[in-house]
C-alpha cells in the first residue's frame, strides 16, 4: 500500500512540474506549451516583447505599484490547451473550475458568464467553406470555438479550431495603441474587439450563404418539368444553416447585457461599442432565421413539386391504360370461339372492327389531351 501511495505522489509531482514548465513557455509549436502569445500592456501600449505568463503576472504587479501604473493588464493567448497545459495559468489567475473545464473541453454553447470579478465568454467562430457546386454532402460552414477570460488586469483567450486566429486582431489593436486607443480601456476593450471580429465574420458568412440560398431557390422554382431539385441539396444547406444558427442565436442576449449600465465589469466607454456589436448580431440573427424559414418553405415546395409530378405521371399511366384497354377488350371478345358473332362472316367485318378500335382510341386520346391528362 505504501508503494502505491509513493507512486501516486511521484506522478502528482511530475504533473505539477510539467504544468509549471508549460506555464513558463510561450513557443506555440513546442510540445510543452499551447501558449501562442503573451504580452503586457500599459496605458494602451505593448510593454516589451513577448514573455511567459509568469513573467507577465510579475510585470503587471510591478507596474501597478507605480503611481501611473493603473490600467496595466496582460493578454495571454492559447490554442487548444490540455488540462495540464492550462492548470498553471488557471491557478495563477484564480479562474473558476467550471469555466476552466468549459475552456479546455470544446463544444460549448455560446454564452457570457460572470465568476466573481471575471467575465467568461464563449464564442462560436464560423468560416465559410468555398465550393464550386452545392451537393448533398457539401460542407458550407466550419465552426470553431473561442473562449475569453476577462479580469481586471488580464485577458486569457483560448481557441479551438484551425481558423479565427487572433494574431491579426492583436497587431491591429497594438498599431492603434497610441495611448488613446481601445487598449487603453483595459481587458473589456479586448473582449469587445474579439466579439466585434467574431460578429463581423458572421456578417461575411451570412452574405456568402445568401448566394447558396438564392441558388437553391432558383433551382427549385426553375422549369424542370415539375421535378424540382435534389432534395438532398436543400436538406444539406438547411443543416449548415442550423449549425450557423446555433452559433449566432444564443449570443444576442449576452451581448445586449454587456452594453447595459449595470454591467460594472465593462468600462462605461466600451459599453456603447457593445451596443453596436449587439445591433450587428441582431441583424445576423434575423438573416439566419430568414434563411431557415426560407429553406423550410423551399423544402416543402420541392416535395410538393415531386408529389405533383408523381400525380401527373399516374394520370398519364391511367389514361394510356384506359386507351389500351379498348382494343384489348374488343380483340378479346372476337378471339372467342363462337360461330354467331356480329359481322363475323361479313366481307368487311374485320376492317370495320379494326377501324372502330382505332377511332375509339383516337377519340379517347383527344379527350384525355383536352382534359390535361396527356
Amino acid at each position: 500500500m505504501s508503494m502505491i501511495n509513493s507512486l501516486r505522489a511521484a506522478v502528482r509531482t511530475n504533473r505539477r512540474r510539467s504544468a509549471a514548465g508549460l506555464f513558463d513557455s510561450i513557443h506555440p509549436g513546442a510540445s510543452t506549451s499551447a501558449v501562442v502569445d503573451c504580452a503586457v500592456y500599459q496605458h494602451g501600449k505593448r510593454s516589451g516583447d513577448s514573455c511567459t505568463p509568469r513573467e507577465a503576472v510579475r510585470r503587471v504587479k510591478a507596474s501597478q505599484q507605480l503611481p501611473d501604473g493603473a490600467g496595466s493588464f496582460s493578454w495571454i493567448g492559447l490554442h487548444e490547451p490540455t488540462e495540464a497545459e492550462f492548470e498553471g495559468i488557471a491557478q495563477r489567475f484564480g479562474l473558476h473550475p467550471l469555466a476552466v473545464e468549459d475552456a479546455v473541453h470544446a463544444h460549448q454553447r455560446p454564452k457570457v458568464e460572470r465568476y466573481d470579478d471575471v467575465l467568461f465568454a464563449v464564442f462560436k467562430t464560423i468560416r465559410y467553406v468555398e465550393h464550386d457546386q452545392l451537393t448533398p454532402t457539401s460542407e458550407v460552414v466550419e465552426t470553431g470555438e473561442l473562449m475569453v477570460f476577462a479580469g481586471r488586469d488580464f485577458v486569457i483567450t483560448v481557441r479551438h479550431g484551425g481558423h479565427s486566429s487572433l494574431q491579426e486582431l492583436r497587431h491591429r489593436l497594438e498599431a492603434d495603441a497610441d495611448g488613446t486607443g481601445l487598449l487603453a480601456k483595459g481587458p473589456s476593450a479586448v473582449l469587445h474587439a474579439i466579439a466585434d471580429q467574431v460578429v463581423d465574420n458572421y456578417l461575411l458568412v451570412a452574405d456568402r450563404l445568401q448566394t447558396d440560398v438564392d441558388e437553391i431557390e432558383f433551382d427549385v422554382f426553375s422549369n424542370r418539368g415539375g421535378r424540382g431539385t435534389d432534395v438532398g441539396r436543400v436538406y444539406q444547406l438547411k443543416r449548415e444553416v442550423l449549425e450557423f444558427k446555433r452559433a449566432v442565436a444564443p449570443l444576442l442576449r449576452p451581448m445586449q447585457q454587456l452594453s447595459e449600465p449595470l454591467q460594472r465589469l465593462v468600462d462605461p466607454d466600451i459599453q456603447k461599442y457593445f451596443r453596436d456589436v449587439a445591433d450587428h448580431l441582431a441583424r445576423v440573427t434575423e438573416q439566419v432565421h430568414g434563411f431557415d424559414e426560407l429553406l423550410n418553405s423551399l423544402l416543402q415546395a420541392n416535395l410538393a413539386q415531386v408529389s405533383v409530378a408523381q400525380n401527373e405521371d399516374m394520370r398519364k399511366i391511367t389514361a394510356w391504360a384506359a386507351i389500351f384497354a379498348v382494343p384489348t377488350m374488343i380483340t378479346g371478345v372476337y378471339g372467342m370461339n363462337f360461330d354467331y358473332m356480329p359481322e363475323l362472316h361479313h366481307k368487311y367485318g374485320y376492317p370495320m372492327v379494326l377501324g372502330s378500335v382505332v377511332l375509339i382510341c383516337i377519340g379517347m386520346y383527344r379527350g384525355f389531351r383536352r382534359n390535361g391528362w396527356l
Side-chain angles (χ1 to χ4, degrees):
M1 188 68 179
S2 60
M3 182 181 296
I4 295 176
N5 291 333
S6 299
L7 289 174
R8 288 177 177 174
V11 171
R12 285 196 294 267
T13 302
N14 290 334
R15 288 187 62 185
R16 284 195 294 268
R17 290 176 180 174
S18 176
L22 296 169
F23 184 67
D24 287 335
S25 178
I26 61 169
H27 302 292
S31 59
T32 58
S33 178
V35 179
V36 177
D37 195 2
C38 177
V40 174
Y41 298 88
Q42 298 178 355
H43 305 294
K45 298 180 180 180
R46 183 165 181 148
S47 176
D49 298 329
S50 298
C51 59
T52 65
R54 188 185 302 276
E55 179 66 17
V57 173
R58 189 191 66 79
R59 288 186 187 180
V60 171
K61 289 184 177 180
S63 65
Q64 289 176 347
Q65 303 300 323
L66 301 176
D68 59 345
S72 300
F73 70 95
S74 59
W75 182 357
I76 304 172
L78 301 98
H79 181 252
E80 298 183 355
T82 62
E83 293 183 8
E85 290 173 330
F86 201 46
E87 180 181 358
I89 296 177
Q91 292 178 356
R92 178 66 62 177
F93 290 95
L95 304 180
H96 197 278
L98 293 178
V100 171
E101 182 180 0
D102 289 344
V104 172
H105 301 93
H107 309 295
Q108 303 297 325
R109 188 174 185 268
K111 59 184 178 180
V112 175
E113 295 179 339
R114 175 182 171 182
Y115 295 95
D116 297 328
D117 290 337
V118 178
L119 285 176
F120 175 62
V122 178
F123 301 98
K124 284 282 189 180
T125 57
I126 301 292
R127 184 179 72 89
Y128 182 82
V129 180
E130 298 290 343
H131 50 272
D132 296 332
Q133 185 178 5
L134 186 64
T135 66
T137 58
S138 294
E139 184 181 14
V140 181
V141 295
E142 179 184 355
T143 61
E145 291 190 34
L146 177 59
M147 290 80 167
V148 182
F149 294 89
R152 294 192 178 278
D153 57 1
F154 67 88
V155 176
I156 301 173
T157 57
V158 181
R159 291 193 303 113
H160 291 271
H163 63 281
S164 299
S165 173
L166 297 177
Q167 183 177 6
E168 182 179 350
L169 173 64
R170 187 191 286 255
H171 292 167
R172 187 169 67 249
L173 290 175
E174 291 173 355
D176 189 45
D178 56 355
T180 59
L182 288 178
L183 281 179
K185 300 299 181 181
S188 59
V190 178
L191 177 60
H192 159 263
I194 294 174
D196 187 54
Q197 174 173 288
V198 171
V199 173
D200 285 346
N201 192 53
Y202 289 166
L203 291 170
L204 296 177
V205 174
D207 291 339
R208 303 297 296 275
L209 273 176
Q210 182 69 61
T211 303
D212 290 328
V213 174
D214 292 342
E215 178 184 346
I216 290 294
E217 184 178 14
F218 176 78
D219 289 344
V220 169
F221 293 105
S222 62
N223 185 14
R224 295 179 178 268
R227 302 293 174 177
T229 188
D230 185 2
V231 67
R233 299 174 64 210
V234 183
Y235 186 72
Q236 176 64 16
L237 185 57
K238 179 174 174 58
R239 285 174 56 90
E240 298 296 303
V241 168
L242 285 177
E243 188 172 1
F244 191 14
K245 184 178 180 180
R246 285 193 292 267
V248 173
L251 199 59
L252 180 57
R253 181 54 186 161
M255 288 297 102
Q256 293 173 342
Q257 290 176 341
L258 290 177
S259 65
E260 295 175 354
L262 296 178
Q263 183 56 259
R264 63 183 180 86
L265 296 181
V266 178
D267 189 283
D269 295 333
I270 299 297
Q271 288 178 345
K272 56 186 176 183
Y273 291 99
F274 274 111
R275 285 198 297 269
D276 182 67
V277 174
D279 290 340
H280 291 172
L281 188 61
R283 172 189 164 190
V284 177
T285 303
E286 292 174 358
Q287 281 186 282
V288 175
H289 281 295
F291 292 158
D292 189 28
E293 294 177 0
L294 180 57
L295 288 173
N296 283 335
S297 301
L298 292 178
L299 190 61
Q300 295 175 0
N302 185 76
L303 295 176
Q305 287 179 341
V306 173
S307 179
V308 170
Q310 290 177 345
N311 290 336
E312 291 180 354
D313 292 340
M314 288 302 300
R315 286 194 300 179
K316 290 179 180 180
I317 293 173
T318 302
W320 283 113
I323 292 175
F324 283 110
V326 173
T328 301
M329 180 188 67
I330 295 177
T331 55
V333 170
Y334 277 90
M336 297 180 182
N337 295 322
F338 290 104
D339 188 38
Y340 298 102
M341 298 184 69
E343 309 297 336
L344 184 62
H345 299 287
H346 195 279
K347 179 179 179 180
Y348 300 103
Y350 185 70
M352 290 175 57
V353 171
L354 292 180
S356 300
V357 170
V358 171
L359 291 175
I360 294 174
C361 290
I362 292 175
M364 294 181 65
Y365 176 80
R366 294 184 63 182
F368 285 131
R369 282 292 297 263
R370 187 166 49 250
N371 292 326
W373 282 51
L374 290 176

